[in-house]
Amino acid sequence: MLGPPASGKGTQGSLLSEWAGIPTTSTGAILRKEKQEGTEVGKEADRLTRDGNLAPDDLILKVVRSWLERHDGAFIFDGFPRTLPQAEGLEKILEKRSTPLHRVFLLDLSMETIRERVRRRVVCSDCGKAFNLGVHVEKLEEPCPACGGTLERRRDDSEAALERRMEVYREKTLPLVEFYEQRGVLTRVPADREAREVFEDMKKELQS
Ligand code: AMP
């Protein structure tokens, strides 16, 4: 799944994973977990990404290869690939596994909605799930609705970091749209809607 910050990639990943019975992972969530565990990868990624920049391609490809070593069969990636070198790296990995890339979804939404969602977003430092202030919880101090863990704001959800993330998204990630259009696997999904409606569109596409 490709999409700007707060386009709902994580939410759709969970819904698709549950429906299709295949695992989902997010490179962003892997990096946050590494940081929480205090690993060298986590520390390096935090230092490089807290201002809204991307982590280096070789680090991301290493993290993805290591995840794939532990997962056979089909899978869903959320927020990977995010650059052309990552997409090319993924193509090589998939060739070796003899598994084709079935579909790429581009979650499309307005800048206004992105800002509003980022302002409201909190994440659980224990289970990694994201929630909206004023919708799922009233205050940051409340326990995580899913696991009772501690909720926090993401460091890269500040206004300055969001502007940088949008710049990076336009510059590095949007070229992937053409890359995957040329391969005939891209589907655009309007994501300014309820998560369930977005999911139904994706499901239909996968069933067709
Ligand atoms: P996300 O949770 O997908 O918004 O990712 C959070 C941050 O982790 C991003 O803003 C990037 O700095 C970094 N990150 C996650 N996935 C990638 C990726 N595929 N390539 C480079 N950086 C990434």
Side-chain angles (χ1 to χ4, degrees):
M1 278 177 293
L2 310 176
S7 51
K9 301 186 294 288
T11 306
Q12 296 305 325
S14 302
L15 291 169
L16 284 172
S17 168
E18 202 176 300
W19 169 69
I22 57 177
T24 181
T25 193
S26 135
T27 39
I30 294 176
L31 297 181
R32 280 189 289 281
K33 187 114 192 106
E34 294 274 346
K35 178 195 154 195
Q36 204 187 6
E37 288 169 0
T39 67
E40 284 310 311
V41 166
K43 281 186 208 157
E44 192 192 349
D46 181 47
R47 187 172 53 80
L48 296 169
T49 65
R50 67 171 67 145
D51 295 333
N53 290 308
L54 291 182
D57 291 330
D58 51 354
L59 185 146
I60 292 290
L61 284 166
K62 196 166 103 186
V63 157
V64 165
R65 274 196 207 97
S66 139
W67 188 87
L68 284 173
E69 272 165 21
R70 285 171 282 122
H71 296 83
D72 285 335
F75 52 85
I76 303 161
F77 275 140
D78 137 13
F80 170 83
R82 258 171 154 107
T83 65
L84 279 173
Q86 289 179 22
E88 285 157 2
L90 176 64
E91 240 174 19
K92 289 207 186 91
I93 294 172
L94 294 181
E95 254 167 46
K96 263 201 197 142
R97 280 169 73 108
S98 305
T99 49
L101 178 61
H102 187 62
R103 188 100 328 244
V104 175
F105 288 107
L106 172 68
L107 300 180
D108 236 351
L109 75 171
S110 68
M111 196 57 220
E112 199 187 327
T113 312
I114 294 172
R115 286 213 177 85
E116 179 59 19
R117 286 191 185 174
V118 166
R119 250 198 306 271
R120 287 169 176 271
R121 176 157 68 181
V122 294
V123 292
C124 175
S125 59
D126 296 309
C127 72
K129 287 214 167 90
F131 302 95
N132 293 334
L133 281 175
V135 180
H136 306 111
V137 287
E138 287 309 314
K139 289 186 303 202
L140 190 61
E141 293 72 28
E142 285 179 30
C144 166
C147 76
T150 311
L151 297 178
E152 59 185 16
R153 299 260 313 149
R154 273 172 55 166
R155 193 176 204 153
D156 62 357
D157 270 350
S158 68
E159 257 174 59
L162 176 62
E163 293 313 315
R164 178 70 194 134
R165 285 159 76 201
M166 286 307 299
E167 247 173 59
V168 169
Y169 175 72
R170 288 187 204 107
E171 189 188 319
K172 307 266 185 175
T173 308
L174 278 182
L176 295 187
V177 171
E178 200 187 324
F179 180 89
Y180 285 123
E181 257 170 358
Q182 279 169 358
R183 283 154 178 77
V185 289
L186 189 94
T187 303
R188 289 168 193 265
V189 187
D192 266 348
R193 301 173 293 160
E194 284 294 311
R196 211 70 221 177
E197 288 174 53
V198 177
F199 170 62
E200 287 303 323
D201 277 9
M202 292 167 82
K203 199 167 92 179
K204 259 186 230 143
E205 177 68 34
L206 292 173
Q207 285 169 322
S208 67

